Each structure stands twice: as structure tokens, then as C-alpha cells.
Amino acid sequence: MNQDRIYPSESAHSPYLCPPEMQNEDLFKKVVSHCKEYGFVFPSSEIYDGLAAVYDYGQNGVELRNNLRQYWWKSMTQLHTNILGLDAAIFMHPKTWKASGHVDGFSDPMIDNKDSKKRYRADVLLEEHQEKLRAKADKEVEKARARFGDSFDEAMYRQTNPRVVEYLNAIDHIDQTLKTGLESGNLDIIRDLILELGIVCPVSGSKNWTDVRQFNLMYSTQMSAVESGEDSLYLRPETAQGIFVNFLNVQKTGRAKIPFGIAQTGKAFRNEIVARQFIMRMKEFEQMEMQFFCKPGTELEWYAYWKQARLKWHLALGTNPAAYRYHDHVKLAHYANAAVDIEFEFPFGFKEVEGIHSRTDFDLNRHEEFSGKKLRYFDSETNESYVPYVVETSIGLDRMFLLTLCNAYTEEQVDNEVRTVLKLHPALAPVKAAILPLAKKDGLPEIAEKIYNDLRFDFNLYIEDKDSIGKRYRRMDAIGTPFCITVDYDSAANEDVTLRYRDTMEQKRVKIAELRDMLQSETSMASLLRGLV
Ligand code: GAP
């Protein structure tokens, strides 16, 4: 018997075609269309031409998203004895959003181009201009590096080369002016800066700009059937406030001692005027947030702990560490004493996926003030009551989903054709294994069905007998299924199957009785979680 048969020949396995060879813009377009074609993400209400910046998750998307959420949830609540879960309502008392500062401060400065009628975030137009200046400065540095070779001192060059200094000063000038405009509320300063820099509308190419205005990002609706204006509610723009207002409920009923955390996942809504880049910036999205309550004075230690713990969570998925970076906030919100973003290199550049903020006692103090209720922790050892300090970790599930797909999408040249494969971590894969009878006859489908029925209680499986085995393998590669289990003419007699590995396409014979243990050890969330401790 041939222990190493291959159906069909897939031996010519070349290195990845993508990402390196693939243009980044191409990669992003491919990921977006792959999501649609293979049931990961659809535009919302597509038969009515869709709804801007709102998306639905298809049969494979919902599984991947559930797995990502589960990975986060278990890493928080199961791996930490002092982190408790919560599922607060989306609707909250309107005073919540006064207290949190969202009613007065959760807005973006917007500007319209009168010719194209397009609306932009004024700060984003300025940031994009800064990116161009930064790229110009980097180009000068690279030219000099090539010229001077080993003796090149980059730091010195950046400080002394007149052209580079000019670019870097211009970047600083934009930062300072934007800050002055936003902090003073004088938005004319921001409009004048856009005009001074000669920034044009990317659509019309004109500088015919309106004034800059602030738009609040919260959606509002009414509590009762009759619109009275007094019972306005907001759809929550973040899940965090549900945690703050339940802080004492959870602490007391969970008999939690400081330091402890409360974790929550759920939908959040923001009227993002400039929604871009697919599911990167949506109007309805999901957050996974954890507020860690600690003793005042210890918050920076916990901040350092969560900063590294959260990056570890990302890297445990096997992603190239070079694709991640920290972006420490230099300018801090008035309530924070430290803040960092974890950024990932998407095909369109490094962007935030997660924020870690040391929020001091700001939120709890504000809720005390607005509700008139005490939100203090009583420390029975020291006999003192205090408002705890909070370190927050906040990640967007949809952004993490996009990151995962961009990272997994691969094209390889195999036997003169391109194989598209999602190299997802097996614990995240929507389908763990496909059971594929080689032929639709001679009892093979029955054996496949028996295996399927036996394993389906433990794993999300797929069973299919249509099309050639090669085509079926390709369909499974495209949705990231880590294993294909092929039932063939030797299976009945030998009680074995061919197991095909997605990434290497390697095949080997495995006893049917061993499949459960093999799938368990290779695809379980537990194996992924073990990497975190
Ligand atoms: N409670 C803190 C908070 O909400 P944030 O930086 O506004 O902080 C946290 O949001 C995370 O939520 C971001 O890092 C991002 O991953 C995700 N997020 C924010 N706005 C989003 C949007 N419009 N669409 C998709 N994800 C978004």
C-alpha cells in the first residue's frame, strides 16, 4: 500500500507569491473581494445597493469572528482569576454620556469640499499631509544612506540636513496648530492651516473648502414611541461605560478584591462621517474591552503589564512581530496618564487595532458626580474607601478580523496555477476539517458520513462529495480549513484516511480512530491559550 499517495499532484510548492511580490493595494483589494466570494463579509442590505460603512458577516465570517471573540474572552476571563465578565445593555441612561464626556466632546472636526460635495475629517486631511512630508524626509534619509554607506549617522542627518529639518518642522507645525485649534475651539485656525498647506480635495482637486465644523459621532433615538425630546437615548459609542456603571455590582456580587478587571464584548455605534477601508472604520462595530481596577499609585505598573500582555496575545497567533508596533501617545487626553496604541501594518499602512489607556479615576469620579451614588471600593485590610484607578484595554473585533485576513491571505504558485490559501491559525479557522470521500460511490460517502457524525460534536466540520478532489481542496484552502480528510478505496479495509495539511499540502495516512485526538491537539482554543501563560 502506498502510504504517501497524493490526490492530485500538488508537489510543486513554491514560496509565497504574496505578500512580498503583491502590491499592497492589490492585496487589500484581493482580501476585500475574497471576503465577499467566500462568505466572510457582505455589504449590508446589498440588494438595496448596500449601506455605507455597514457590513454583514457570512457563514465563514461569523465563525472566524466568534473564534476571535472567544480567544479574547477566554484569555481574559478564563486565564485570569481576577477578571470577571459582563454583558451590559446597549441602551444606557442618557446621563451616562453626559458624565463620560461623549455628549460634549465626542466629535470630529469636519470640512466639506464645495466642488466635489465630499466631506472629510479635517484632522485626517492634515495627518495625510504629514504622512507625505514624513515620506519625503525618509526618502532623503535613504538617499543619504546609500551615498555614505556604513559611516552614515541617521540621527545626526535628521537633525542637520536642511531639507529633512524643513520637513520635520512642517510636521511639528501641523501638530501644534491642530492642537491649538482643537483645544481653543477656534476651528478657523484648522481651516486656515488646510488652506496654507494647499491641501486639495482628492476628488475634485480644488481648494474650495467650507468652514470646519464639529459633528458629534453618537446616534440618538427615543425611549418611548412618542418623540418628546426629553427621552432621547444614545446608541453606545463604546462598551466601556457599561463596565464603569456596573463596577460595584460586579465587585460586590463577585466578591472581587482590587486589583481586578471586568471584561465585556459587544456592539458599539459611531456616526463615522468618513468611513473608509472596508471594515476598518464602521458605523456599527464590535468592541472587546476590559477595565482593570487598581489601587491609585499602582496604575502605571498595571499599564506596563497590560501593554506587554496584549501584544503577547496578538503574537501568540503566529503573526510576524515586525508587522506590529506600539504607538505611545505623546499628547494625552486630560483624564489619562499614559496611553498607547497597538498598531498593525495593514496593506494601507500601520493603523491602530487596540488601545491601552491608563484612565486614572476620571470615569468613576464623573459617574459619582452625575449619579450622586458612591462608586468606591472598600479595602477591608486597610479600612479605607477609595475610587480605584483604571487601566483599559480596548480592541475592535472587526479590525482584528481584518488584520487576521490580511495576515492570512496568501497566493502560491502550484503546478502552473495560483493557489489562494488563508493561513489562519487552526484555532481561528471557521472549519476545522473537511471530510471528503474520493468518489460518490462504493461505500466511500457512507464512511465519510460516519466520521463526520462521530466528530461533529467536537468540531465544526464540512463534508462534501461534489467535484474533483483537487477542486475541493482548493475551496477548503480558500476558507482556511487546516485539514482535509480524504476517504478512499483503502479506508474501509485499513480503517484509515489521508490527512492533508493546508499550509504544506503534505499528506499522510492516519487511522480513523486517531482523528479526534489529532484535531483536538491541532485546532483547539486551549492550545492557543496555552501560549499565553
Ligand atoms: N473605550 C475606549 C475606546 O472606545 P477607541 O480607540 O475609540 O477607544 C477602541 O476604540 C478600538 O475600537 C479601536 O482600537 C478600534 O480597534 C475599534 N474601533 C473604534 N472605532 C471603530 C470603527 N468606527 N469601526 C471599527 N472599529 C473601531
Side-chain angles (χ1 to χ4, degrees), residues 238 270 272 280 282 285 287 289 352-353 392 394 396:
E238 62 171 13
R270 294 182 189 178
E272 302 278 6
M280 187 75 191
M282 302 156 90
F285 59 101
Q287 289 187 316
E289 299 199 299
E352 170 191 343
V353 252
E392 168 185 74
S394 174

